[in-house]
Amino acid sequence: MVLDTIPSVEDIISRFPREKSSLINILNEIQRVYGYLPRDALEKVSEELRLSMTHIYGVVTFYHKFKLQKPGKYHINICKGTACFVKGSSMISDTFETELGIKKGETTPDGLFSMDEVACLGCCALAPAMEINGEVHGKLTPRKVKRIIKRILRDEKNDA
């Protein structure tokens, strides 16, 4: 059996022309491989494309899809679409913030949870909805959110 190896940042950059117009494609590929954009990877991109770190950070922070922090083991996406918003997605975000001590775009210090808000999950009939690592949870209440967090923490403790 052949194991897939994770390509280095240098390998990723080498697949693209060394020009400014390749920046977004390179950033997309680095994030696809690593799950986020590590600072040392951005420094290598800066060096190889001869772009300032200020320019690169300007691009990274302009596009919401780019992440500068490593996502948690359990990545939470809270739907902020119209149906979810009307049915209380703000309460769901507030509950996560209170229970986990993180805000949108952050990761808990233990690396277990990260949270983001997304424009729409396409689950309007389940509003308010969220997904955790791609698994959709709907018709949420603060109480359901607390139960989900407790279940994950219990499972993590049992796996340890």
Short mmCIF file of all heavy atoms in Angstrom, two decimals, residues 43-108:
data_model
loop_
_atom_site.label_atom_id
_atom_site.label_comp_id
_atom_site.label_asym_id
_atom_site.label_seq_id
_atom_site.Cartn_x
_atom_site.Cartn_y
_atom_site.Cartn_z
N GLU A 43 5.16 33.13 4.34
CA GLU A 43 6.50 33.71 4.17
C GLU A 43 7.21 33.10 2.96
O GLU A 43 7.89 33.80 2.21
CB GLU A 43 7.32 33.51 5.45
CG GLU A 43 6.83 34.38 6.58
CD GLU A 43 7.46 34.06 7.92
OE1 GLU A 43 8.16 33.02 8.05
OE2 GLU A 43 7.25 34.85 8.87
N LYS A 44 7.03 31.80 2.77
CA LYS A 44 7.64 31.14 1.60
C LYS A 44 7.01 31.64 0.31
O LYS A 44 7.70 31.89 -0.68
CB LYS A 44 7.47 29.61 1.73
CG LYS A 44 8.24 28.84 0.69
CD LYS A 44 9.74 29.02 0.91
CE LYS A 44 10.53 28.23 -0.09
NZ LYS A 44 11.95 28.58 -0.07
N VAL A 45 5.69 31.82 0.30
CA VAL A 45 5.00 32.37 -0.87
C VAL A 45 5.51 33.77 -1.15
O VAL A 45 5.79 34.13 -2.30
CB VAL A 45 3.46 32.36 -0.66
CG1 VAL A 45 2.77 33.13 -1.77
CG2 VAL A 45 2.94 30.94 -0.58
N SER A 46 5.66 34.57 -0.11
CA SER A 46 6.17 35.94 -0.25
C SER A 46 7.54 35.94 -0.92
O SER A 46 7.80 36.69 -1.85
CB SER A 46 6.25 36.59 1.14
OG SER A 46 6.93 37.81 1.09
N GLU A 47 8.40 35.06 -0.44
CA GLU A 47 9.76 34.94 -0.96
C GLU A 47 9.76 34.48 -2.43
O GLU A 47 10.42 35.08 -3.29
CB GLU A 47 10.53 33.94 -0.09
CG GLU A 47 11.93 33.65 -0.51
CD GLU A 47 12.54 32.56 0.36
OE1 GLU A 47 12.38 32.60 1.60
OE2 GLU A 47 13.15 31.64 -0.22
N GLU A 48 9.01 33.43 -2.71
CA GLU A 48 9.01 32.84 -4.05
C GLU A 48 8.34 33.72 -5.11
O GLU A 48 8.76 33.74 -6.26
CB GLU A 48 8.35 31.46 -4.04
CG GLU A 48 9.12 30.43 -3.26
CD GLU A 48 10.44 30.06 -3.91
OE1 GLU A 48 10.52 30.03 -5.16
OE2 GLU A 48 11.41 29.81 -3.17
N LEU A 49 7.26 34.42 -4.72
CA LEU A 49 6.56 35.27 -5.69
C LEU A 49 7.03 36.72 -5.65
O LEU A 49 6.55 37.55 -6.41
CB LEU A 49 5.04 35.22 -5.44
CG LEU A 49 4.35 33.87 -5.63
CD1 LEU A 49 2.85 34.02 -5.48
CD2 LEU A 49 4.69 33.24 -6.96
N ARG A 50 7.94 36.99 -4.73
CA ARG A 50 8.48 38.34 -4.55
C ARG A 50 7.36 39.35 -4.29
O ARG A 50 7.27 40.40 -4.92
CB ARG A 50 9.34 38.75 -5.73
CG ARG A 50 10.56 37.88 -5.85
CD ARG A 50 11.53 38.38 -6.86
NE ARG A 50 12.73 37.55 -6.79
CZ ARG A 50 13.38 37.14 -7.84
NH1 ARG A 50 13.00 37.48 -9.03
NH2 ARG A 50 14.45 36.40 -7.69
N LEU A 51 6.47 38.96 -3.36
CA LEU A 51 5.37 39.82 -2.92
C LEU A 51 5.56 40.11 -1.44
O LEU A 51 6.01 39.24 -0.69
CB LEU A 51 4.02 39.12 -3.13
CG LEU A 51 3.63 38.80 -4.57
CD1 LEU A 51 2.38 37.93 -4.59
CD2 LEU A 51 3.40 40.08 -5.35
N SER A 52 5.20 41.29 -1.03
CA SER A 52 5.34 41.64 0.39
C SER A 52 4.33 40.85 1.22
O SER A 52 3.26 40.48 0.73
CB SER A 52 5.13 43.14 0.60
OG SER A 52 3.76 43.47 0.41
N MET A 53 4.68 40.63 2.48
CA MET A 53 3.74 39.98 3.40
C MET A 53 2.50 40.85 3.57
O MET A 53 1.40 40.32 3.73
CB MET A 53 4.41 39.71 4.75
CG MET A 53 5.40 38.56 4.72
SD MET A 53 4.63 36.96 4.37
CE MET A 53 3.82 36.64 5.93
N THR A 54 2.66 42.16 3.50
CA THR A 54 1.52 43.06 3.59
C THR A 54 0.55 42.80 2.45
O THR A 54 -0.67 42.73 2.66
CB THR A 54 1.99 44.53 3.56
OG1 THR A 54 2.91 44.75 4.62
CG2 THR A 54 0.83 45.49 3.67
N HIS A 55 1.07 42.63 1.24
CA HIS A 55 0.21 42.33 0.09
C HIS A 55 -0.51 40.99 0.28
O HIS A 55 -1.72 40.88 0.07
CB HIS A 55 1.03 42.31 -1.20
CG HIS A 55 0.22 41.94 -2.41
ND1 HIS A 55 -0.56 42.86 -3.07
CD2 HIS A 55 0.04 40.75 -3.04
CE1 HIS A 55 -1.19 42.25 -4.07
NE2 HIS A 55 -0.84 40.97 -4.07
N ILE A 56 0.24 39.98 0.71
CA ILE A 56 -0.35 38.66 0.90
C ILE A 56 -1.43 38.69 1.98
O ILE A 56 -2.52 38.16 1.79
CB ILE A 56 0.74 37.60 1.20
CG1 ILE A 56 1.60 37.42 -0.06
CG2 ILE A 56 0.13 36.29 1.66
CD1 ILE A 56 2.83 36.57 0.13
N TYR A 57 -1.14 39.33 3.11
CA TYR A 57 -2.15 39.43 4.17
C TYR A 57 -3.36 40.22 3.71
O TYR A 57 -4.49 39.94 4.10
CB TYR A 57 -1.57 40.02 5.45
CG TYR A 57 -0.95 38.97 6.33
CD1 TYR A 57 0.43 38.82 6.42
CD2 TYR A 57 -1.75 38.11 7.07
CE1 TYR A 57 0.99 37.84 7.21
CE2 TYR A 57 -1.19 37.12 7.87
CZ TYR A 57 0.18 37.00 7.93
OH TYR A 57 0.72 36.01 8.72
N GLY A 58 -3.14 41.21 2.85
CA GLY A 58 -4.27 41.97 2.30
C GLY A 58 -5.20 41.06 1.51
O GLY A 58 -6.43 41.14 1.64
N VAL A 59 -4.64 40.17 0.72
CA VAL A 59 -5.44 39.23 -0.07
C VAL A 59 -6.12 38.21 0.86
O VAL A 59 -7.32 37.95 0.74
CB VAL A 59 -4.56 38.50 -1.12
CG1 VAL A 59 -5.32 37.36 -1.79
CG2 VAL A 59 -4.06 39.50 -2.17
N VAL A 60 -5.35 37.65 1.79
CA VAL A 60 -5.88 36.62 2.69
C VAL A 60 -7.03 37.15 3.53
O VAL A 60 -8.04 36.47 3.72
CB VAL A 60 -4.74 36.05 3.57
CG1 VAL A 60 -5.29 35.21 4.71
CG2 VAL A 60 -3.76 35.25 2.73
N THR A 61 -6.89 38.37 4.03
CA THR A 61 -7.95 38.91 4.89
C THR A 61 -9.13 39.46 4.09
O THR A 61 -10.22 39.61 4.64
CB THR A 61 -7.40 40.00 5.84
OG1 THR A 61 -6.79 41.04 5.06
CG2 THR A 61 -6.39 39.41 6.80
N PHE A 62 -8.94 39.73 2.82
CA PHE A 62 -10.05 40.19 1.97
C PHE A 62 -11.04 39.06 1.71
O PHE A 62 -12.24 39.25 1.76
CB PHE A 62 -9.52 40.74 0.65
CG PHE A 62 -10.61 41.20 -0.28
CD1 PHE A 62 -11.23 42.42 -0.10
CD2 PHE A 62 -11.03 40.39 -1.33
CE1 PHE A 62 -12.25 42.84 -0.95
CE2 PHE A 62 -12.05 40.79 -2.18
CZ PHE A 62 -12.66 42.03 -1.99
N TYR A 63 -10.52 37.87 1.45
CA TYR A 63 -11.37 36.72 1.13
C TYR A 63 -11.68 35.94 2.40
O TYR A 63 -10.79 35.40 3.05
CB TYR A 63 -10.70 35.80 0.10
CG TYR A 63 -10.55 36.46 -1.24
CD1 TYR A 63 -9.32 36.98 -1.66
CD2 TYR A 63 -11.64 36.59 -2.09
CE1 TYR A 63 -9.19 37.59 -2.89
CE2 TYR A 63 -11.51 37.21 -3.32
CZ TYR A 63 -10.29 37.70 -3.72
OH TYR A 63 -10.16 38.31 -4.93
N HIS A 64 -12.95 35.84 2.72
CA HIS A 64 -13.41 35.18 3.94
C HIS A 64 -13.02 33.69 3.99
O HIS A 64 -12.86 33.12 5.06
CB HIS A 64 -14.93 35.34 4.07
CG HIS A 64 -15.50 34.65 5.26
ND1 HIS A 64 -15.26 35.08 6.55
CD2 HIS A 64 -16.28 33.56 5.36
CE1 HIS A 64 -15.88 34.28 7.38
NE2 HIS A 64 -16.51 33.35 6.71
N LYS A 65 -12.85 33.08 2.84
CA LYS A 65 -12.59 31.63 2.81
C LYS A 65 -11.21 31.27 3.37
O LYS A 65 -11.01 30.14 3.80
CB LYS A 65 -12.73 31.08 1.40
CG LYS A 65 -11.68 31.60 0.43
CD LYS A 65 -11.89 31.02 -0.94
CE LYS A 65 -10.89 31.61 -1.92
NZ LYS A 65 -11.03 31.03 -3.22
N PHE A 66 -10.28 32.21 3.36
CA PHE A 66 -8.94 31.90 3.84
C PHE A 66 -8.89 31.94 5.36
O PHE A 66 -9.43 32.83 6.00
CB PHE A 66 -7.91 32.85 3.25
CG PHE A 66 -7.69 32.65 1.77
CD1 PHE A 66 -7.79 33.71 0.89
CD2 PHE A 66 -7.37 31.40 1.25
CE1 PHE A 66 -7.60 33.53 -0.46
CE2 PHE A 66 -7.17 31.20 -0.11
CZ PHE A 66 -7.29 32.29 -0.96
N LYS A 67 -8.21 30.96 5.94
CA LYS A 67 -8.09 30.83 7.39
C LYS A 67 -6.63 30.95 7.80
O LYS A 67 -5.77 30.29 7.24
CB LYS A 67 -8.62 29.46 7.86
CG LYS A 67 -10.01 29.13 7.39
CD LYS A 67 -11.05 29.98 8.05
CE LYS A 67 -12.42 29.65 7.53
NZ LYS A 67 -13.20 30.78 7.20
N LEU A 68 -6.38 31.79 8.80
CA LEU A 68 -5.03 31.96 9.31
C LEU A 68 -4.78 31.13 10.57
O LEU A 68 -3.66 31.05 11.04
CB LEU A 68 -4.76 33.45 9.61
CG LEU A 68 -4.68 34.32 8.37
CD1 LEU A 68 -4.68 35.80 8.74
CD2 LEU A 68 -3.44 33.98 7.56
N GLN A 69 -5.83 30.55 11.09
CA GLN A 69 -5.71 29.69 12.27
C GLN A 69 -6.05 28.27 11.91
O GLN A 69 -6.99 28.03 11.14
CB GLN A 69 -6.69 30.15 13.35
CG GLN A 69 -6.09 31.01 14.41
CD GLN A 69 -7.04 31.14 15.59
OE1 GLN A 69 -8.26 31.16 15.44
NE2 GLN A 69 -6.49 31.24 16.76
N LYS A 70 -5.32 27.35 12.49
CA LYS A 70 -5.61 25.94 12.26
C LYS A 70 -7.01 25.63 12.80
O LYS A 70 -7.34 26.00 13.93
CB LYS A 70 -4.58 25.08 12.98
CG LYS A 70 -4.70 23.61 12.69
CD LYS A 70 -3.57 22.84 13.33
CE LYS A 70 -3.72 21.37 12.99
NZ LYS A 70 -2.58 20.60 13.50
N PRO A 71 -7.85 24.99 11.99
CA PRO A 71 -9.20 24.67 12.46
C PRO A 71 -9.17 23.62 13.56
O PRO A 71 -8.24 22.81 13.65
CB PRO A 71 -9.91 24.14 11.21
CG PRO A 71 -8.82 23.68 10.32
CD PRO A 71 -7.62 24.52 10.64
N GLY A 72 -10.19 23.64 14.41
CA GLY A 72 -10.29 22.67 15.48
C GLY A 72 -10.62 21.28 14.94
O GLY A 72 -11.02 21.12 13.78
N LYS A 73 -10.46 20.30 15.78
CA LYS A 73 -10.81 18.93 15.41
C LYS A 73 -12.28 18.87 15.02
O LYS A 73 -12.67 18.12 14.12
CB LYS A 73 -10.52 18.00 16.59
CG LYS A 73 -10.82 16.55 16.32
CD LYS A 73 -10.41 15.66 17.48
CE LYS A 73 -10.73 14.20 17.19
NZ LYS A 73 -10.36 13.35 18.33
N TYR A 74 -13.11 19.67 15.70
CA TYR A 74 -14.53 19.78 15.39
C TYR A 74 -14.78 21.18 14.88
O TYR A 74 -14.78 22.14 15.65
CB TYR A 74 -15.39 19.48 16.63
CG TYR A 74 -15.19 18.08 17.12
CD1 TYR A 74 -14.25 17.80 18.11
CD2 TYR A 74 -15.90 17.02 16.57
CE1 TYR A 74 -14.04 16.51 18.54
CE2 TYR A 74 -15.69 15.72 17.00
CZ TYR A 74 -14.76 15.48 17.98
OH TYR A 74 -14.55 14.19 18.41
N HIS A 75 -14.95 21.29 13.56
CA HIS A 75 -15.16 22.60 12.96
C HIS A 75 -16.66 22.84 12.78
O HIS A 75 -17.34 22.08 12.11
CB HIS A 75 -14.44 22.74 11.63
CG HIS A 75 -14.56 24.11 11.08
ND1 HIS A 75 -13.93 25.19 11.66
CD2 HIS A 75 -15.27 24.59 10.05
CE1 HIS A 75 -14.26 26.28 10.99
NE2 HIS A 75 -15.07 25.94 10.01
N ILE A 76 -17.14 23.91 13.40
CA ILE A 76 -18.55 24.25 13.42
C ILE A 76 -18.82 25.37 12.42
O ILE A 76 -18.15 26.40 12.45
CB ILE A 76 -18.95 24.74 14.84
CG1 ILE A 76 -18.63 23.66 15.87
CG2 ILE A 76 -20.41 25.17 14.88
CD1 ILE A 76 -18.42 24.21 17.28
N ASN A 77 -19.78 25.16 11.54
CA ASN A 77 -20.26 26.20 10.63
C ASN A 77 -21.71 26.50 10.99
O ASN A 77 -22.57 25.63 10.87
CB ASN A 77 -20.18 25.76 9.17
CG ASN A 77 -18.78 25.82 8.63
OD1 ASN A 77 -18.04 26.75 8.90
ND2 ASN A 77 -18.40 24.83 7.86
N ILE A 78 -21.96 27.72 11.41
CA ILE A 78 -23.31 28.12 11.78
C ILE A 78 -23.92 28.89 10.62
O ILE A 78 -23.34 29.84 10.11
CB ILE A 78 -23.30 29.00 13.05
CG1 ILE A 78 -22.70 28.21 14.21
CG2 ILE A 78 -24.71 29.49 13.39
CD1 ILE A 78 -22.42 29.01 15.44
N CYS A 79 -25.10 28.44 10.19
CA CYS A 79 -25.77 29.06 9.05
C CYS A 79 -26.32 30.43 9.46
O CYS A 79 -26.98 30.56 10.49
CB CYS A 79 -26.91 28.17 8.56
SG CYS A 79 -27.72 28.84 7.09
N LYS A 80 -26.06 31.42 8.62
CA LYS A 80 -26.58 32.77 8.83
C LYS A 80 -27.51 33.17 7.69
O LYS A 80 -27.78 34.36 7.49
CB LYS A 80 -25.43 33.77 8.96
CG LYS A 80 -24.66 33.62 10.25
CD LYS A 80 -25.54 33.96 11.44
CE LYS A 80 -24.78 33.87 12.73
NZ LYS A 80 -25.56 34.39 13.85
N GLY A 81 -27.99 32.19 6.93
CA GLY A 81 -28.95 32.46 5.86
C GLY A 81 -30.23 33.04 6.43
O GLY A 81 -30.47 33.01 7.65
N THR A 82 -31.08 33.55 5.56
CA THR A 82 -32.29 34.24 6.00
C THR A 82 -33.16 33.39 6.91
O THR A 82 -33.55 33.82 8.00
CB THR A 82 -33.11 34.71 4.79
OG1 THR A 82 -32.27 35.56 3.98
CG2 THR A 82 -34.34 35.48 5.21
N ALA A 83 -33.47 32.16 6.51
CA ALA A 83 -34.34 31.31 7.33
C ALA A 83 -33.71 31.04 8.69
O ALA A 83 -34.38 31.13 9.73
CB ALA A 83 -34.63 29.99 6.61
N CYS A 84 -32.44 30.74 8.72
CA CYS A 84 -31.76 30.47 9.99
C CYS A 84 -31.67 31.73 10.84
O CYS A 84 -31.87 31.68 12.06
CB CYS A 84 -30.37 29.88 9.74
SG CYS A 84 -30.44 28.17 9.14
N PHE A 85 -31.38 32.84 10.20
CA PHE A 85 -31.30 34.10 10.94
C PHE A 85 -32.63 34.42 11.62
O PHE A 85 -32.69 34.73 12.80
CB PHE A 85 -30.87 35.24 10.02
CG PHE A 85 -30.75 36.56 10.71
CD1 PHE A 85 -29.64 36.85 11.48
CD2 PHE A 85 -31.77 37.49 10.62
CE1 PHE A 85 -29.53 38.06 12.14
CE2 PHE A 85 -31.68 38.71 11.29
CZ PHE A 85 -30.56 39.00 12.05
N VAL A 86 -33.70 34.32 10.84
CA VAL A 86 -35.04 34.62 11.36
C VAL A 86 -35.41 33.68 12.50
O VAL A 86 -36.08 34.07 13.46
CB VAL A 86 -36.09 34.57 10.22
CG1 VAL A 86 -37.51 34.60 10.75
CG2 VAL A 86 -35.86 35.72 9.25
N LYS A 87 -34.95 32.43 12.42
CA LYS A 87 -35.32 31.44 13.44
C LYS A 87 -34.31 31.35 14.59
O LYS A 87 -34.38 30.44 15.40
CB LYS A 87 -35.52 30.08 12.80
CG LYS A 87 -36.75 30.08 11.88
CD LYS A 87 -37.30 28.72 11.75
CE LYS A 87 -38.62 28.79 10.99
NZ LYS A 87 -39.30 27.53 10.99
N GLY A 88 -33.36 32.29 14.64
CA GLY A 88 -32.52 32.38 15.83
C GLY A 88 -31.09 31.91 15.74
O GLY A 88 -30.50 31.54 16.76
N SER A 89 -30.47 31.98 14.57
CA SER A 89 -29.08 31.53 14.47
C SER A 89 -28.14 32.38 15.33
O SER A 89 -27.10 31.89 15.77
CB SER A 89 -28.60 31.52 13.02
OG SER A 89 -28.61 32.82 12.47
N SER A 90 -28.53 33.62 15.61
CA SER A 90 -27.69 34.45 16.49
C SER A 90 -27.62 33.86 17.89
O SER A 90 -26.57 33.90 18.54
CB SER A 90 -28.22 35.88 16.54
OG SER A 90 -28.06 36.48 15.28
N MET A 91 -28.73 33.28 18.37
CA MET A 91 -28.73 32.61 19.68
C MET A 91 -27.79 31.40 19.66
O MET A 91 -27.14 31.10 20.65
CB MET A 91 -30.13 32.13 20.05
CG MET A 91 -31.01 33.16 20.69
SD MET A 91 -32.51 32.43 21.40
CE MET A 91 -33.08 31.34 20.11
N ILE A 92 -27.75 30.73 18.53
CA ILE A 92 -26.89 29.55 18.40
C ILE A 92 -25.43 29.98 18.47
O ILE A 92 -24.63 29.41 19.22
CB ILE A 92 -27.20 28.78 17.09
CG1 ILE A 92 -28.67 28.38 17.02
CG2 ILE A 92 -26.27 27.58 16.94
CD1 ILE A 92 -29.24 27.70 18.24
N SER A 93 -25.07 31.03 17.73
CA SER A 93 -23.70 31.57 17.79
C SER A 93 -23.36 32.01 19.21
O SER A 93 -22.27 31.72 19.72
CB SER A 93 -23.53 32.75 16.83
OG SER A 93 -23.65 32.34 15.50
N ASP A 94 -24.29 32.73 19.84
CA ASP A 94 -24.05 33.21 21.20
C ASP A 94 -23.82 32.06 22.17
O ASP A 94 -22.97 32.14 23.07
CB ASP A 94 -25.23 34.05 21.69
CG ASP A 94 -25.37 35.38 20.95
OD1 ASP A 94 -24.42 35.78 20.24
OD2 ASP A 94 -26.45 36.01 21.08
N THR A 95 -24.56 30.98 22.00
CA THR A 95 -24.41 29.81 22.89
C THR A 95 -23.03 29.20 22.72
O THR A 95 -22.36 28.89 23.71
CB THR A 95 -25.51 28.76 22.61
OG1 THR A 95 -26.78 29.38 22.80
CG2 THR A 95 -25.38 27.57 23.54
N PHE A 96 -22.58 29.04 21.47
CA PHE A 96 -21.22 28.51 21.25
C PHE A 96 -20.18 29.44 21.85
O PHE A 96 -19.22 28.99 22.48
CB PHE A 96 -20.94 28.28 19.76
CG PHE A 96 -21.42 26.96 19.26
CD1 PHE A 96 -22.48 26.88 18.39
CD2 PHE A 96 -20.81 25.78 19.67
CE1 PHE A 96 -22.93 25.65 17.93
CE2 PHE A 96 -21.25 24.55 19.22
CZ PHE A 96 -22.31 24.49 18.34
N GLU A 97 -20.34 30.74 21.64
CA GLU A 97 -19.38 31.70 22.19
C GLU A 97 -19.29 31.57 23.71
O GLU A 97 -18.20 31.56 24.28
CB GLU A 97 -19.76 33.12 21.79
CG GLU A 97 -19.50 33.41 20.33
CD GLU A 97 -19.88 34.82 19.90
OE1 GLU A 97 -20.21 35.66 20.77
OE2 GLU A 97 -19.82 35.10 18.68
N THR A 98 -20.44 31.46 24.35
CA THR A 98 -20.47 31.35 25.81
C THR A 98 -19.90 30.02 26.30
O THR A 98 -19.07 29.97 27.20
CB THR A 98 -21.92 31.51 26.33
OG1 THR A 98 -22.41 32.79 25.92
CG2 THR A 98 -21.99 31.39 27.84
N GLU A 99 -20.33 28.93 25.67
CA GLU A 99 -19.92 27.60 26.12
C GLU A 99 -18.45 27.30 25.82
O GLU A 99 -17.79 26.63 26.60
CB GLU A 99 -20.81 26.53 25.48
CG GLU A 99 -22.26 26.57 25.93
CD GLU A 99 -22.44 26.27 27.40
OE1 GLU A 99 -21.91 25.24 27.88
OE2 GLU A 99 -23.12 27.07 28.08
N LEU A 100 -17.97 27.76 24.67
CA LEU A 100 -16.60 27.42 24.25
C LEU A 100 -15.60 28.53 24.48
O LEU A 100 -14.39 28.32 24.39
CB LEU A 100 -16.60 27.03 22.77
CG LEU A 100 -17.48 25.83 22.38
CD1 LEU A 100 -17.43 25.62 20.87
CD2 LEU A 100 -17.05 24.58 23.12
N GLY A 101 -16.09 29.75 24.70
CA GLY A 101 -15.19 30.87 24.91
C GLY A 101 -14.48 31.34 23.66
O GLY A 101 -13.38 31.88 23.72
N ILE A 102 -15.09 31.08 22.50
CA ILE A 102 -14.50 31.54 21.23
C ILE A 102 -15.54 32.31 20.43
O ILE A 102 -16.74 32.17 20.65
CB ILE A 102 -13.96 30.38 20.38
CG1 ILE A 102 -15.06 29.36 20.03
CG2 ILE A 102 -12.77 29.72 21.05
CD1 ILE A 102 -14.62 28.28 19.04
N LYS A 103 -15.05 33.11 19.51
CA LYS A 103 -15.91 33.85 18.60
C LYS A 103 -15.68 33.31 17.19
O LYS A 103 -14.78 32.51 16.95
CB LYS A 103 -15.58 35.33 18.66
CG LYS A 103 -15.88 35.95 20.02
CD LYS A 103 -15.85 37.45 19.93
CE LYS A 103 -16.16 38.10 21.26
NZ LYS A 103 -17.43 37.77 21.83
N LYS A 104 -16.50 33.79 16.28
CA LYS A 104 -16.39 33.41 14.86
C LYS A 104 -14.93 33.55 14.41
O LYS A 104 -14.28 34.54 14.67
CB LYS A 104 -17.30 34.32 14.04
CG LYS A 104 -17.17 34.13 12.54
CD LYS A 104 -18.08 35.06 11.80
CE LYS A 104 -17.41 36.39 11.65
NZ LYS A 104 -18.03 37.27 10.68
N GLY A 105 -14.45 32.50 13.73
CA GLY A 105 -13.10 32.52 13.19
C GLY A 105 -12.02 32.08 14.17
O GLY A 105 -10.85 32.05 13.82
N GLU A 106 -12.41 31.71 15.38
CA GLU A 106 -11.43 31.33 16.40
C GLU A 106 -11.46 29.83 16.66
O GLU A 106 -12.41 29.13 16.30
CB GLU A 106 -11.70 32.08 17.71
CG GLU A 106 -11.50 33.57 17.59
CD GLU A 106 -11.77 34.32 18.89
OE1 GLU A 106 -12.42 33.77 19.81
OE2 GLU A 106 -11.32 35.48 18.98
N THR A 107 -10.40 29.37 17.33
CA THR A 107 -10.26 27.97 17.73
C THR A 107 -10.01 27.94 19.23
O THR A 107 -9.29 28.80 19.75
CB THR A 107 -9.08 27.32 16.98
OG1 THR A 107 -9.30 27.44 15.57
CG2 THR A 107 -8.90 25.85 17.33
N THR A 108 -10.59 26.96 19.91
CA THR A 108 -10.35 26.84 21.34
C THR A 108 -8.87 26.56 21.59
O THR A 108 -8.20 25.95 20.75
CB THR A 108 -11.21 25.73 21.97
OG1 THR A 108 -10.96 24.50 21.29
CG2 THR A 108 -12.69 26.06 21.93
#
